[in-house]
């Protein structure tokens, strides 16, 4: 109590100096949290983007498909999966079955390698980006479209074609024969990344099965769990119910590069905290040292009055602690407010969309911060703040009373 | 047994290559209840001696026993405790903690001692009344005159009934009238509460109040009456 009262009055002895440290702490916290939130928003966006781009949160394949994604490695009879999924998955989970195969698309002037995806339009729309909302021209597939195909805008431009034109798809069927078939462009989709638009073309699932002579076979099942559901747990549950002829993977396993990036991301976040803290820390130490050296005489007096060195140490630490906690209070308030506002609106990166595409960022970033981020930032600032305050505090505790008292 | 027993102490300060022999074989014994003046020209070692008696400074040789405590083997925290409970200090200036009011300054020592807040408040008020500062409880040091500040310092030094108060030129920054007033206050406290005072001074007028005068010159006791 005594420490606190003395500390409180001491920090207001020089309001300007206190304000300077205070601002340094507020700014430090604010920069740390806002930037971390932005970075987290980018990472979340990348994950969201990748999951929407036909990955899903969990995928089920036939054994071997991941290593060698050819038609021979297809799931031959998906009907045995349906009851299991219906039983295991929570109510709001969505899933869809696809055929996915490498193909060559060509028209009179151009040809290009693409990924031909046979989808069930209704369920696909719930799981991935492709759906009515992604269509900018024409319409999305319906089950009547036996010869309809959906192309990305970038591919349409590359092929110098347009809605209603024909395009030929050529691929290898299960008999290792060349299968080729002409489709009519019924819709053009837009995606966040031009790569997605160039890579994927969509047709109805039964048409793909016919073309590849797959019968009822499919390449994969992709599913999305309701928000907050433990993905790895569900994947393990599904796996335990399926025979060894199936593979079950989470998006983390499917997207190696992205997972590795996310791991690195946490590390770089900590580095970032440290970098900002070091800048802030110098400010704190300097100002606290100034505050201590200005009061050498007073510390001498306190010792003469019978205050022990340890108590003087506590006294100075208490002053640092007060300023830190006040700065952290305002810093957190401002940061959370900033993050909240930008999280609601999102930050549109359209102005640098070309560059953003390269690294797989989504166009709109929603800064986001977790409790764990907040905790780490605050613990870093408070913990390290106290540790570095030890230096001025030890100085104060070690002044010899005689020297201190003769110091005018 | 004497309250303060100093035997053959030597103190040397080293400043660069120069050695300053501040105290040379000083032996003094001061009994409880005394009102003792340390006199002597500037640089004669008065402050050094007071600091040593107060455990703020160490000696090169010789023994110091205050109130039965032999300093030689005491740790700094033990010396701090001795100061806290047994020794009050009054310095020439800057005696008070600037962020605390007169009342809080007096309470501060009791707070360190762990006296309950109610008791320390009433004791602090009483002692401030005794030193004539009843109206000044809530003034900060910078709102008090030099003489008033010294009175607060005296009040703080005696509030927890120490055995000894050490005062290093307590009147040096005061005009002679105010200095006289402060000295009379110290004398009054000395008699009323039987607290031993040892104070240093240049001022012959101040020395006249003392029951005993110890004269130092160049770190040696040259007279003791
Ligand atoms: N910290 C120190 N370092 C070096 N020399 C010192 C130190 N303190 C005191 N001295 C020297 O020791 C001698 C005694 O000093 P001291 O302060 O005890 O004298 P004093 O009698 O109190 O003088 P004054 O009346 O001026 O206060 C002086 O020569 C002084 O220069
Ligand atoms: Mg002196």
């Amino acid at each position: 109590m005594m420490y606190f009262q003395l500390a409180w009055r001491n920090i207001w002895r020089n309001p300007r100096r206190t304000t300077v440290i205070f601002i340094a702490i507020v700014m430090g916290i604010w920069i740390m949290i806002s930037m971390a939130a932005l970075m987290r928003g980018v990472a979340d966006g990348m994950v969201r983007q990748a999951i929407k781009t036909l990955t899903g949160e969990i995928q089920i394949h036939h054994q071997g498909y991941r290593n060698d994604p050819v038609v021979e490695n297809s799931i031959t009879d998906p009907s045995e999966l349906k009851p299991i999924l219906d039983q295991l998955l929570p109510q709001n989970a969505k899933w869809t079955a696809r055929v996915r195969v490498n193909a060559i698309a060509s028209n009179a002037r151009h040809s290009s390698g693409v990924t031909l995806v046979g989808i069930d339009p209704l369920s696909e729309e719930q799981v991935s980006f492709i759906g009515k909302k992604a269509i900018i021209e024409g319409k999305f597939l319906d089950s009547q479209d036996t010869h309809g195909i959906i192309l990305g805008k970038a591919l349409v431009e590359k092929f110098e074609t347009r809605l209603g034109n024909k395009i030929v798809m050529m691929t290898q069927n299960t008999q290792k024969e060349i299968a080729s078939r002409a489709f009519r462009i019924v819709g053009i989709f837009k995606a966040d990344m031009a790569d997605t638009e160039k890579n994927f073309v969509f047709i109805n699932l039964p048409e793909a099965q016919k073309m590849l002579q797959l019968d009822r076979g499919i390449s994969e099942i992709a599913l999305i769990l309701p928000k907050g559901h433990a993905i790895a747990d569900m994947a393990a549950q599904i796996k335990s119910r399926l025979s060894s002829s199936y593979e079950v993977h989470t998006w983390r396993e499917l997207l190696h590069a992205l997972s590795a990036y996310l791991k690195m991301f946490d590390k770089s976040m900590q580095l970032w905290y440290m970098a900002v803290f070091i800048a802030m820390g110098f400010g704190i130490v300097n100002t606290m040292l100034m505050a201590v050296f200005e009061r050498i005489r007073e510390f001498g007096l306190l010792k003469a009055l019978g205050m022990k060195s340890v108590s003087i140490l506590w006294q100075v630490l208490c002053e640092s602690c007060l300023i830190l906690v006040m700065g952290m209070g305002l810093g957190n308030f401002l940061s959370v407010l900033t993050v909240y506002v930008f999280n609601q609106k999102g930050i549109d990166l359209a102005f640098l969309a070309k560059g953003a595409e390269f690294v797989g960022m989504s166009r709109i970033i929603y800064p986001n911060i977790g409790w764990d981020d907040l905790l780490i930032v605050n613990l870093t600032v408070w913990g390290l703040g106290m540790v570095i305050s030890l230096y001025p505090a030890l100085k104060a505790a070690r002044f010899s009373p005689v020297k201190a008292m003769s110091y005018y | 047994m004497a309250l303060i027993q100093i035997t053959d102490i030597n103190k040397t300060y080293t400043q660069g290559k120069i050695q300053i022999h501040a105290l040379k074989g000083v032996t003094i014994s001061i009994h409880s209840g005394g009102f003792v003046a340390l006199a002597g020209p500037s640089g004669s070692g008065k402050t050094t001696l007071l600091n040593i008696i107060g455990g703020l400074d160490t000696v090169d040789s010789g023994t110091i026993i205050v109130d039965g405590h032999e300093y030689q083997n005491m740790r700094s925290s033990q010396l701090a405790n001795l100061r806290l409970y047994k020794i009050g200090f009054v310095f020439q200036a800057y005696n008070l903690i600037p962020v605390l009011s007169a009342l809080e300054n007096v309470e501060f020592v009791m707070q360190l001692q762990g006296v309950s807040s109610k008791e320390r408040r009433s004791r602090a008020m009483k002692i401030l009344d005794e030193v004539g500062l009843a109206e000044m409880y809530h003034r900060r040091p910078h709102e008090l005159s030099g003489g008033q500040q010294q009175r607060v310092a005296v009040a703080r030094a005696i509030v927890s009934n120490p055995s000894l108060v050490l005062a290093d030129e307590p009147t040096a920054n005061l005009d002679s009238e105010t200095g006289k007033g402060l000295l009379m206050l110290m004398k009054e406290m000395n008699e009323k509460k039987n607290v031993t005072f040892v104070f240093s001074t240049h001022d012959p007028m101040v020395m006249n109040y003392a029951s005993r005068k110890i004269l130092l010159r160049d770190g040696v006791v040259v007279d003791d009456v």
Side-chain angles (χ1 to χ4, degrees):
Chain A
M1 185 51 222
M2 179 181 72
Y3 291 131
F4 180 81
Q5 190 192 32
L6 256 186
W8 178 253
R9 294 197 192 163
N10 276 328
I11 62 177
W12 294 115
R13 269 162 96 164
N14 192 332
R16 198 165 59 167
R17 182 169 55 212
T18 300
T19 309
V20 169
I21 316 192
F22 183 74
I23 289 174
I25 296 168
V26 171
M27 289 292 291
I29 295 250
W30 186 74
I31 292 173
M32 278 189 208
I33 295 184
S34 306
M35 284 300 289
L38 189 67
M39 282 153 72
R40 176 119 7 245
V42 169
D44 285 354
M46 283 165 85
V47 170
R48 222 174 333 115
Q49 170 109 324
I51 285 176
K52 270 197 322 184
T53 310
L54 305 197
T55 307
E57 287 172 345
I58 298 175
Q59 283 192 9
I60 305 171
H61 297 114
H62 189 269
Q63 184 64 42
Y65 180 87
R66 280 265 295 149
N67 283 335
D68 189 12
V70 293
V71 278
E72 291 85 340
N73 283 335
S74 297
I75 298 170
T76 42
D77 187 10
S79 62
E80 68 176 36
L81 292 171
K82 191 173 170 356
I84 295 174
L85 289 180
D86 285 345
Q87 191 194 341
L88 280 179
L89 292 180
Q91 275 255 295
N92 298 327
K94 313 278 186 225
W95 63 274
T96 191
R98 306 180 183 122
V99 164
R100 193 201 281 242
V101 69
N102 290 329
I104 290 170
S106 51
N107 65 4
R109 273 180 266 186
H110 301 272
S111 74
S112 166
V114 295
T115 302
L116 176 65
V117 190
I119 56 171
D120 168 46
L122 283 180
S123 59
E124 183 67 41
E125 198 166 12
Q126 314 262 343
V127 173
S128 73
F129 81 98
I130 192 71
K132 288 188 194 75
K133 265 188 270 168
I135 301 299
I136 50 165
E137 242 186 284
K139 61 177 185 69
F140 189 44
L141 289 173
D142 59 47
S143 40
Q144 267 72 56
D145 282 319
T146 50
H147 285 79
I149 191 166
I150 306 259
L151 263 58
K153 181 169 175 284
L155 193 68
V156 168
E157 281 161 9
K158 185 176 166 193
F159 272 46
E160 300 174 272
T161 181
R162 56 188 160 77
L163 209 63
N165 284 0
K166 271 192 189 165
I167 191 156
V168 174
M169 290 292 146
M170 193 162 69
T171 183
Q172 207 176 42
N173 67 17
T174 46
Q175 314 301 311
K176 294 201 187 302
E177 289 159 353
I178 298 293
S180 98
R181 190 169 156 188
F183 292 90
R184 190 170 300 280
I185 303 170
V186 295
I188 297 173
F189 74 84
K190 178 103 187 78
D192 276 345
M193 286 189 287
D195 260 1
T196 307
E197 295 176 12
K198 278 184 197 152
N199 188 29
F200 293 108
V201 303
F202 299 93
I203 59 175
N204 263 314
L205 179 62
E207 305 311 317
Q209 287 166 332
K210 255 184 253 165
M211 183 173 164
L212 296 171
Q213 301 189 359
L214 263 174
D215 191 20
R216 280 182 300 162
I218 57 166
S219 309
E220 69 196 21
I221 282 179
L223 59 92
I224 300 262
L225 298 176
K227 221 182 166 98
H229 218 88
I231 293 168
D233 286 355
M234 180 53 70
Q237 277 187 54
I238 296 172
K239 200 176 220 154
S240 71
R241 293 287 301 275
L242 299 180
S243 75
S244 62
S245 60
Y246 292 100
E247 294 175 333
V248 181
H249 294 105
T250 65
W251 66 264
R252 281 181 193 278
E253 295 160 322
L254 295 166
L255 304 164
H256 277 308
L258 189 57
S259 306
Y261 169 80
L262 290 178
K263 280 215 187 82
M264 203 181 71
F265 170 82
D266 277 339
K267 288 262 181 308
S268 63
M269 205 99 119
Q270 282 156 21
L271 275 180
W272 163 249
Y273 296 150
M274 285 310 296
V276 177
F277 183 82
I278 286 168
M280 195 169 86
F282 272 110
I284 298 177
V285 170
N286 257 324
T287 347
M288 284 309 290
L289 271 180
M290 253 157 65
V292 161
F293 275 102
E294 240 177 51
R295 277 154 55 203
I296 291 185
R297 248 202 88 80
E298 209 176 305
F299 291 118
L301 173 67
L302 293 176
K303 279 199 170 166
L305 292 181
M307 200 163 175
K308 294 185 187 66
S309 302
V310 203
S311 309
I312 291 177
L313 183 92
W314 281 121
Q315 183 61 50
V316 175
L317 284 182
C318 192
E319 290 173 23
S320 299
C321 183
L322 259 182
I323 304 183
L324 273 171
V325 167
M326 289 194 309
M328 284 162 62
L330 184 60
N332 276 291
F333 174 74
L334 284 182
S335 315
V336 170
L337 196 73
T338 311
V339 173
Y340 178 80
V341 166
F342 281 103
N343 182 273
Q344 295 304 299
K345 293 175 65 181
I347 299 171
D348 195 333
L349 293 185
F351 64 95
L352 46 83
K354 277 265 163 359
E357 274 179 15
F358 270 114
V359 286
M361 273 161 52
S362 49
R363 197 169 62 89
I364 297 179
I365 297 210
Y366 298 93
N368 192 11
I369 191 94
W371 287 110
D372 43 348
D373 291 325
L374 280 179
L375 197 70
I376 290 174
V377 168
N378 281 291
L379 281 181
T380 308
V381 171
W382 189 79
L384 292 182
M386 291 310 281
V387 168
I388 58 169
S389 298
L390 267 176
Y391 178 59
L394 279 170
K395 279 254 183 253
R398 284 196 181 142
F399 290 136
S400 101
V402 176
K403 285 214 184 91
M405 293 302 288
S406 58
Y407 186 98
Y408 284 84
Chain B
M1 196 188 151
L3 176 67
I4 302 171
Q5 182 59 58
I6 290 170
T7 315
D8 198 19
I9 58 168
N10 284 284
K11 175 71 183 176
T12 317
Y13 289 109
T14 318
Q15 213 160 36
K17 286 194 180 130
I18 310 163
Q19 293 226 326
I20 301 157
H21 213 150
L23 293 175
K24 303 169 189 163
V26 172
T27 298
I28 300 172
S29 122
I30 294 172
H31 286 273
S32 188
F35 197 66
V36 181
L38 280 181
S42 186
S44 56
K46 304 183 293 292
T47 299
T48 307
L49 185 57
L50 284 173
N51 283 341
I52 284 169
I53 296 172
L56 296 175
D57 209 347
T58 53
V59 288
D60 303 327
S61 66
T63 56
I64 311 124
I65 302 171
V66 172
D67 204 29
H69 300 271
E70 147 90 268
Y71 283 9
Q72 189 119 44
N73 300 316
M74 285 169 77
R75 281 183 280 121
S76 72
S77 62
Q78 291 173 310
L79 284 170
N81 263 334
L82 188 71
R83 284 198 293 276
L84 182 57
Y85 290 97
K86 298 286 183 186
I87 306 174
F89 278 95
V90 178
F91 300 99
Q92 183 178 334
Y94 305 111
N95 267 297
L96 305 179
I97 300 164
V99 294
L100 300 182
S101 68
L103 193 65
E104 289 164 337
N105 260 287
V106 176
E107 279 188 59
F108 184 76
V109 174
M110 290 186 281
Q111 217 167 351
L112 288 176
Q113 292 173 343
V115 177
S116 80
S117 70
K118 225 166 132 190
E119 191 189 333
R120 42 174 214 258
R121 178 120 310 190
S122 74
R123 272 164 66 182
M125 285 177 160
K126 188 155 164 283
I127 201 83
L128 281 174
D129 295 350
E130 284 182 59
V131 301
L133 295 175
E135 311 289 300
M136 316 271 164
Y137 291 164
H138 301 296
R139 293 217 190 159
R140 293 280 178 93
H142 67 92
E143 297 165 329
L144 295 169
S145 72
Q148 289 165 339
Q149 287 182 24
Q150 292 304 77
R151 278 168 183 268
V152 176
V154 170
R156 183 187 57 199
I158 58 176
V159 72
S160 46
N161 302 316
S163 328
L164 171 66
V165 172
L166 301 173
D168 192 5
E169 309 204 31
T171 58
N173 278 18
L174 307 177
D175 62 67
S176 64
E177 261 325 284
T178 320
K180 204 163 134 189
L182 185 77
L183 227 82
M184 281 163 70
L185 172 72
M186 284 165 57
K187 183 81 186 153
E188 186 194 331
M189 294 298 148
N190 163 251
E191 281 162 5
K192 215 163 78 180
K193 304 189 189 267
N194 197 33
V195 180
T196 310
F197 276 76
V198 179
F199 54 94
S200 67
T201 185
H202 291 296
D203 187 345
M205 185 276 285
V206 171
M207 285 175 236
N208 288 333
Y209 284 85
S211 59
R212 177 177 168 194
K213 279 171 260 177
I214 298 170
L215 188 63
L216 284 173
R217 183 164 294 139
D218 292 334
V220 180
V221 178
V222 291
D223 199 8
D224 191 344
V225 285

